[in-house]
Amino acid sequence: MLLPAFYARLKLLKKDALTLWYALKHAGTPLILKLFALLLVAYAFSPIDLIPDFIPILGLLDDLIIIPIGVWILLKLMPDPVVNDCRRQVEEHFNKKKPKPRNYVGGLVIFGIWMVVIYWLTMSYAVPFFAERQALNQSPAGVSVETAPQKP
């Protein structure tokens, strides 16, 4: 069936992402690859996604496309001795049943990106919208329509 093959590929992806985690700490990893691996690993292991999973289709596409392609590219660019040494460390990690590493700094970065996006949306759309509504509620004399005296 198709499902067991899918689960096998998922397990391999999990191991490859953890291989990048160990490659970050390896002395033989080139600096530029460490920077790209840091970004990808921070995103993969952060508790917060750039696109939340509850958003239909898009929320899961980032996990299904960005992470596997990034892992594949980085492992192809890494020197073979580094990849082999890191894969050995991953096997030890799984044999000892250690927990998955968490990257709270990556989570904070993703949270910060979301806060900037929310601030930008608020300042770009919400503030002008409410300022325009308030201007429409003002009469030419500067008296608000809501506070104008009502006729009996």
Side-chain angles (χ1 to χ4, degrees):
M1 282 293 230
L2 192 61
L3 208 52
F6 177 73
Y7 284 127
R9 303 233 349 123
L10 257 166
K11 190 172 183 177
L12 181 63
L13 177 62
K14 186 177 179 180
K15 286 184 176 183
D16 285 346
L18 200 55
T19 301
L20 288 179
W21 175 262
Y22 283 109
L24 283 171
K25 302 173 187 178
H26 198 281
T29 306
L31 181 62
I32 190 74
L33 292 180
K34 279 187 180 186
L35 292 174
F36 283 116
L38 178 66
L39 289 173
L40 187 67
V41 168
Y43 183 72
F45 290 125
S46 88
I48 302 171
D49 281 345
L50 188 59
I51 303 172
D53 290 341
F54 64 82
I55 296 176
I57 299 172
L58 291 178
L60 296 174
L61 275 181
D62 67 334
D63 294 336
L64 293 174
I65 294 174
I66 294 172
I67 294 172
I69 289 175
V71 167
W72 180 76
I73 289 172
L74 283 170
L75 287 178
K76 290 292 180 190
L77 294 174
M78 293 269 177
D80 288 335
V82 172
V83 172
N84 294 336
D85 188 35
C86 293
R87 284 197 170 136
R88 182 189 51 75
Q89 290 176 351
V90 168
E91 289 304 320
E92 289 174 10
H93 181 96
F94 278 108
N95 290 339
K96 293 180 181 178
K97 299 193 187 295
K98 292 182 179 178
K100 178 176 90 168
R102 295 271 180 209
N103 191 333
Y104 292 103
V105 173
L108 285 174
V109 168
I110 299 298
F111 180 75
I113 290 171
W114 269 111
M115 289 298 101
V116 167
V117 167
I118 290 170
Y119 176 77
W120 176 76
L121 287 172
T122 302
M123 298 311 285
S124 297
Y125 297 104
V127 170
F129 174 76
F130 288 114
E132 182 179 314
R133 287 198 65 190
Q134 186 178 10
L136 290 175
N137 288 335
Q138 298 281 326
S139 68
V143 178
S144 176
V145 174
E146 289 106 22
T147 59
Q150 300 290 325
K151 291 184 180 181

